[in-house]
Amino acid sequence: MTTHPLRIGTRGSPLALAQAHETRDRLIAAHPHLAAPGAIEIVVFKTTGDRILDRTLAEAGGKGLFTKELEEALFDGRADLAVHSMKDVPTQLPDGLEIATLLPREDPRDAFFSRTGGGLADLPAGAVVGTAGLRRQAQVLELRPDLKIFPLRGNVQTRLSKLDAGEVDATLLALAGLRRLGLTDRITAVLEPETMLPAVAQGAIGIEIRSDDDATRALLAPLNCDETMVRVTAERALLAALDGSCRTPIAALAMLDGDGLHLRAKVLSHDGSIIFRTERRGRSADAESLGRDAGAEIRAQLPPDFFVAAPH
């Protein structure tokens, strides 16, 4: 009897491949028999989000752009598990699929890059900051309404090359991805959450499987990080309560202190001029209800058209 290899579905960007390789390495460490030649296969899929480079994700329709093709591969058996950056994963998954495992979360903060050195506060008036993400755009303009925003898409290497070419004066990237790619030496400054609150689940890698695939779930079980699961559960419950997408600047970060959880969240207008904030402290066992409650509080304060207002 022949068995097919365990197939890991991933996007093809350098960062996505680094995350797939980390997943493979952790699987082999937990199950040495998977080190045998041909036991694990990494299968690359091109997603809608990878094909769209001429406009922002918000303009292209928001979330799900980096997961749809991977989920189709799970459904039809071309992949047994799919590796995602959790900040790209919609809060509603297709019926029959689930996030079975979260790997230990990397540093969730944002990194700042400037051609002149110094931090965000040191940029001259009118400087151009390259970012396509509405969350980063809104928080940059909250702090520095005098700056200009240029929509910068593409992978980490593409964005840094545009900074080097002088197309923008500064840009921001997730610190987690830079650490996974070994590119931290390029960072000008790391932005603390008080300055730039991260995206929901930033720095977390999630592994999605078919809900009826007990064999793959069992292989993944030793890889799951309970602390990451608690933190991401709180943040994603908040996002679900807000019904947020890439078209809305939403930021949140949950941190653990012993059995306690501290959740901070904010929703901003696209130009950073209107801000709704909240925070929750409670037991980590109540992560989902804390997140849901915080999201409901902010949603109750939002104007009716807040989520559909066009970006400026």
Side-chain angles (χ1 to χ4, degrees):
M1 173 179 159
T2 58
T3 57
H4 69 72
L6 185 69
R7 289 167 298 202
I8 299 175
T10 178
R11 295 166 55 209
S13 73
L15 178 55
L17 289 171
Q19 295 179 168
H21 289 144
E22 178 179 340
T23 302
R24 177 199 62 194
D25 293 347
R26 288 179 181 273
L27 278 165
I28 290 170
H31 310 285
H33 71 276
L34 292 176
I40 296 179
E41 180 183 352
I42 291 178
V43 187
V44 174
F45 299 93
K46 193 159 195 171
T47 67
T48 304
D50 296 316
R51 296 188 182 97
I52 299 170
L53 293 173
D54 60 342
R55 57 196 191 278
T56 66
L57 297 182
E59 293 166 331
K63 293 261 182 178
L65 297 169
F66 291 119
T67 57
K68 181 170 171 282
E69 284 80 3
L70 291 170
E71 290 174 337
E72 289 170 351
L74 285 173
F75 275 126
D76 64 24
R78 286 173 293 150
D80 301 300
L81 56 137
V83 180
H84 303 295
S85 292
M86 281 303 294
K87 67 184 177 64
D88 295 330
V89 178
T91 52
Q92 280 291 108
L93 298 179
D95 288 342
L97 298 181
E98 64 183 73
I99 300 294
T101 297
L102 295 180
L103 301 186
R105 189 177 194 173
E106 252 291 2
D107 193 319
R109 294 176 296 173
D110 285 295
F112 178 78
F113 296 80
S114 166
R115 289 192 299 126
T116 56
L120 186 60
D122 301 311
L123 288 175
V128 178
V129 177
T131 176
L134 295 181
R135 173 191 64 86
R136 290 182 180 131
Q137 168 187 309
Q139 291 188 90
V140 166
L141 293 174
E142 173 196 354
L143 297 165
R144 292 288 307 274
D146 58 307
L147 298 178
K148 293 185 171 64
I149 302 294
F150 178 79
L152 199 61
R153 283 285 322 281
N155 64 34
V156 169
Q157 290 83 351
T158 300
R159 295 191 218 184
L160 291 178
S161 69
K162 291 185 177 182
L163 176 70
D164 293 337
E167 293 183 35
V168 296
D169 298 306
T171 191
L172 300 97
L173 292 164
L175 179 56
L178 297 161
R179 288 174 63 129
R180 292 186 177 118
L181 290 169
L183 294 174
T184 53
D185 59 320
R186 294 286 312 271
I187 295 170
T188 307
V190 174
L191 301 180
E192 294 302 323
E194 292 73 23
T195 298
M196 179 70 56
L197 200 61
V200 165
Q202 184 158 299
I205 297 173
I207 304 175
E208 189 176 18
I209 65 169
R210 293 180 295 276
S211 298
D212 62 0
D213 187 354
D214 293 332
T216 300
R217 181 186 289 104
L219 288 173
L220 289 169
L223 278 60
N224 188 61
C225 174
D226 292 338
E227 177 180 330
T228 299
M229 187 66 80
V230 169
R231 295 170 64 194
V232 169
T233 294
E235 294 169 21
R236 281 173 59 81
L238 170 119
L239 186 63
L242 286 165
D243 194 24
S245 76
C246 277
R247 287 169 282 194
T248 313
I250 297 172
L253 181 63
M255 300 294 289
L256 294 185
D257 181 10
D259 292 333
L261 180 142
H262 179 208
L263 173 66
R264 286 173 284 175
K266 66 179 178 178
V267 177
L268 306 91
S269 61
H270 292 94
D271 64 358
S273 64
I274 305 170
I275 305 158
F276 300 89
R277 288 186 178 87
T278 193
E279 60 182 281
R280 289 290 184 279
R281 291 183 185 274
R283 298 186 312 140
S284 58
D286 300 325
E288 186 166 1
S289 60
L290 289 168
R292 194 166 54 237
D293 186 62
E297 179 196 322
I298 293 180
R299 190 173 181 90
Q301 299 175 49
L302 298 178
D305 62 345
F306 198 82
F307 284 120
V308 295
H312 297 297

